[in-house]
Amino acid sequence: MSLDLPPVAPSVTAALVQGLTPRLRKRLDAGITKLADRPCVRDGDTVRIAVDDDTHLELHAPGGSVTSADAIRCGCLLAPDCLHRAAAASAAPIADPQEEPEPAAETQPGNGTGTGTGSGSGSESLPTPAPEGRAESETATPEQRTAALAVYDAAAGVLEAGTDGSGAVLQAELLRAAHTARVTALPRLAASAVSVVTRLRAARSGDPAYRLADLTADLRDVLMTAHRLPRSADAELADLRGTARQPYAPDGSLRLYGLFSEPVLTATGYAGAVTWTADADGRLCTVSDVAPGGSGRAVGAADRAVRIGDTALTHRELSRAGLAVSGATVSPTGRLGAGAGVRAVRAAGAAWGEAPLDRLWAAPVAEQVSRALTGGHGLLFLDVTLTGTVREAAGDCLLADCDGLTLRLAAAHDHPALPCRDNLRLLATAPGTRLRVVARLDPAPVPRALLIAAGHPSAAGAHVDLGLDRLQQADLPAPATAPAAPGTGSPPAPLDEAPLHLLRRRVHQAASAGRRVLAFPGDGSADSRRLGRYGFDCAGDLLDELHAAAADRSRDAFGRLVPADLGRFARAWLAAAHYTEEADRALCAAAWGAS
């Protein structure tokens, strides 16, 4: 999409698409494509699009986003229920749900993401007093259960159609369900649904940053959350419901040491940078600058001043310096608050090999992996020796030896505007180089991690943020000072992997091409038998049920095909997707030797 449009609230897009006639809905996707070729002019908070010589479309975005349907105006004869308004809203980025009106409710703590939690509708009946001596169990309200069902049905429709079939109309249905979830105090579910729509738009527009695995993960998350929420209670309900905003607790004075900075590019159209710091005890804290934007903002955010206290440090500088903070506030995830009472000044930093940062690399690798798999920050602090490369489906990975363990290091970001992959290719030309690195665990049947930062190959005490800094050939050590390790350049031994890819491939195919791709006649039992021979009988049964659910089409009394049972297919797909995720986590722990 070439138009520079302001973000539009999900509820606005849903309302405008719902107002179209059936005939105009069929033309909506073509209208979005046509609108992308029209000239667009921005004047302050107003964006004007010349639909044709006589018709102009205006989007008013006070505060940076469109929050009401009346803010999109068109001069055509069919307005306000015209195709142009719905096409503009569907083509625009999705606004942060925080910008939509919130129900008046008390914020409750939890671990979800998104915005808005509360007590639900005012029409709820009063709770029945619990019997004496027995605590009352909190369950989802009727409105929340209805909203979860609406999100589940909309996501199941997307799964049935796949990315090619999930046009603006299906996207609007999911956005409408997300808005309903939000106003009934289900922020995590609303945020997950919006993320799926953003992934669909990226897939349909040919965005180079789109990854099918990301869409599959988001679709699995929204279906799983919507499926579990109506039956959950107490702590599980709080986790599935999420919180309006992360609570910040006072933490006194902090002495922090910069570790590294990394770019942020989210599925919901936000970009920026996050700088990680550590205190003397090894506790990690983050300072972020994330706002609506694309890859350009992710690259430029590293040179923006840190928004905490009166410090003039940029994120790039903070990653190599220190910070003394008084009156600090910290969220449960370690994010530093930037309230009016927080004061911060620049302080001396520390190299990765110096105290107190060196203690992060002293922790056993298996212990770090166990922490990452059980809800930790996911970061791994490793000492590795580069040994070569290995080709994967998504591109080449850097091979490294980590205490006798063959490790695959992949790029943390694949967007061409970021230097991650170029830096990885350059490091691959220097086998035998020993580096101290920071990576994020990537659960897989083999030891694999996403490379975020690394010690400078030739400058002792310095490090490189691989998503923000660009390495040059001159930064690599000379061959004489970095001899090749034994066996360098030879391909790794073939991996005797469990054939879970047979199930994972079908899960990804369904997310991409929809139910019909698995409904074609054919002998799918061969894959099930192969899974059984490796001891994965459950995976084989899930694969058989997935094919059966996809092909299940019954007929009515007159012999006509009735609509497919989307509920059965969604349940079969969700079971298979959840199984592969958990199996990958278990195999990942085994590969790293973690408990």
Side-chain angles (χ1 to χ4, degrees):
M1 181 57 58
S2 59
L3 293 175
D4 182 20
L5 299 178
V8 176
S11 59
V12 173
T13 304
L16 292 177
V17 174
Q18 187 178 23
L20 296 177
T21 63
R23 180 178 65 87
L24 291 180
R25 288 191 183 190
K26 294 179 181 179
R27 298 169 50 190
L28 182 54
D29 290 320
I32 295 172
T33 303
K34 182 178 179 181
L35 200 65
D37 298 327
R38 305 306 302 164
C40 175
V41 177
R42 181 181 289 270
D43 181 13
D45 292 335
T46 302
V47 175
R48 295 182 178 88
I49 305 171
V51 178
D52 53 40
D53 294 339
D54 302 320
T55 305
H56 289 78
L57 185 68
E58 291 187 352
L59 289 82
H60 298 273
S65 64
V66 177
T67 57
S68 68
D70 295 337
I72 303 179
R73 304 169 187 171
C74 183
C76 73
L77 295 177
L78 294 179
D81 296 328
C82 64
L83 180 67
H84 306 129
R85 298 174 71 218
S90 300
I94 302 174
D96 183 359
Q98 293 183 6
E99 298 170 5
E100 293 190 81
E102 297 185 16
E106 181 182 356
T107 300
Q108 300 178 11
N111 297 327
T113 59
T115 58
T117 59
S119 56
S121 169
S123 62
E124 299 172 28
S125 59
L126 295 175
T128 303
E132 185 176 354
R134 175 179 152 191
E136 182 182 358
S137 178
E138 182 186 13
T139 59
T141 66
E143 290 80 6
Q144 289 175 336
R145 288 193 286 269
T146 301
L149 179 60
V151 172
Y152 187 91
D153 290 342
V158 168
L159 179 62
E160 197 273 342
T163 55
D164 292 339
S166 296
V169 174
L170 281 180
Q171 294 172 23
E173 291 291 337
L174 189 51
L175 289 178
R176 181 182 300 109
H179 176 66
T180 304
R182 170 166 170 73
V183 298
T184 53
L186 298 176
R188 174 177 171 179
L189 191 57
S192 297
V194 169
S195 181
V196 170
V197 175
T198 305
R199 301 280 189 200
L200 289 173
R201 292 183 178 182
R204 293 172 61 85
S205 64
D207 189 336
Y210 165 74
R211 292 293 177 268
L212 176 58
D214 296 335
L215 172 62
T216 303
D218 287 343
L219 198 54
R220 180 188 64 236
D221 182 65
V222 70
L223 285 171
M224 180 63 75
T225 304
H227 172 73
R228 292 171 53 196
L229 195 142
R231 304 168 184 82
S232 62
D234 300 330
E236 183 186 15
L237 174 62
D239 178 59
L240 296 175
R241 185 172 49 200
T243 59
R245 294 172 181 83
Q246 291 190 12
Y248 287 82
D251 207 345
S253 298
L254 298 176
R255 176 66 170 89
L256 302 175
Y257 299 84
L259 268 174
F260 65 91
S261 291
E262 62 174 330
V264 174
L265 275 174
T266 72
T268 52
Y270 282 71
V274 172
T275 299
W276 291 76
T277 65
D279 64 9
D281 296 326
R283 185 181 62 158
L284 301 184
C285 296
T286 60
V287 181
S288 64
D289 179 9
V290 180
S295 58
R297 193 183 192 285
V299 174
D303 295 316
R304 295 175 181 266
V306 173
R307 294 186 295 180
I308 178 171
D310 299 324
T311 178
L313 280 172
T314 65
H315 284 268
R316 195 186 304 273
E317 292 170 338
L318 177 57
S319 69
R320 295 161 173 83
L323 203 64
V325 185
S326 62
T329 58
V330 184
S331 76
T333 58
R335 181 176 176 179
L336 289 174
V342 179
R343 298 290 182 268
V345 295
R346 180 171 185 160
W352 285 1
E354 300 173 352
L357 297 185
D358 58 348
R359 64 185 302 168
L360 297 172
W361 279 264
V365 175
E367 178 182 316
Q368 296 186 50
V369 172
S370 296
R371 179 182 60 206
L373 289 173
T374 54
H377 46 64
L379 297 180
L380 303 179
F381 301 90
L382 310 172
D383 289 306
V384 303
T385 301
L386 306 184
T387 59
T389 60
V390 61
R391 181 169 295 278
E392 293 185 345
D396 289 347
C397 274
L398 190 62
L399 280 180
D401 177 82
C402 179
D403 292 335
L405 189 69
T406 300
L407 172 63
R408 299 184 180 204
L409 296 172
H413 291 277
D414 284 332
H415 198 286
L418 300 176
C420 303
R421 190 159 289 281
D422 291 340
N423 287 334
L424 206 69
R425 293 192 187 101
L426 194 60
L427 288 174
T429 64
T433 303
R434 184 163 180 80
L435 293 175
R436 175 161 281 188
V437 303
V438 180
R440 182 168 283 110
L441 179 66
D442 183 16
V446 296
R448 194 175 190 274
L450 306 179
L451 192 56
I452 300 174
H456 197 284
S458 57
H463 77 267
V464 180
D465 297 325
L466 297 175
L468 299 170
D469 304 326
R470 192 173 293 275
L471 283 170
Q472 304 296 330
Q473 187 67 42
D475 294 323
L476 300 182
T481 59
T488 295
S490 59
L495 296 170
D496 185 19
E497 296 184 41
L500 283 176
H501 65 275
L502 299 174
L503 181 61
R504 187 185 303 107
R505 180 178 59 189
R506 299 305 183 189
V507 169
H508 287 183
Q509 282 181 339
S512 175
R515 176 189 58 82
R516 292 175 181 83
V517 75
L518 301 184
F520 293 131
D523 183 16
S525 60
D527 290 342
S528 301
R529 290 195 298 269
R530 183 180 175 190
L531 286 167
R533 287 197 299 270
Y534 276 80
F536 290 92
D537 295 312
C538 182
D541 293 340
L542 290 172
L543 183 58
D544 287 338
E545 172 59 17
L546 187 60
H547 280 288
D552 182 18
R553 293 295 301 274
S554 57
R555 297 180 181 270
D556 60 16
F558 298 97
R560 298 171 298 190
L561 283 173
V562 299
D565 185 356
L566 300 188
R568 179 189 176 188
F569 179 68
R571 289 191 298 273
W573 183 89
L574 180 58
H578 182 65
Y579 178 91
T580 55
E581 179 191 25
E582 293 302 318
D584 282 343
R585 289 168 57 87
L587 292 172
C588 174
W592 287 88
S595 57

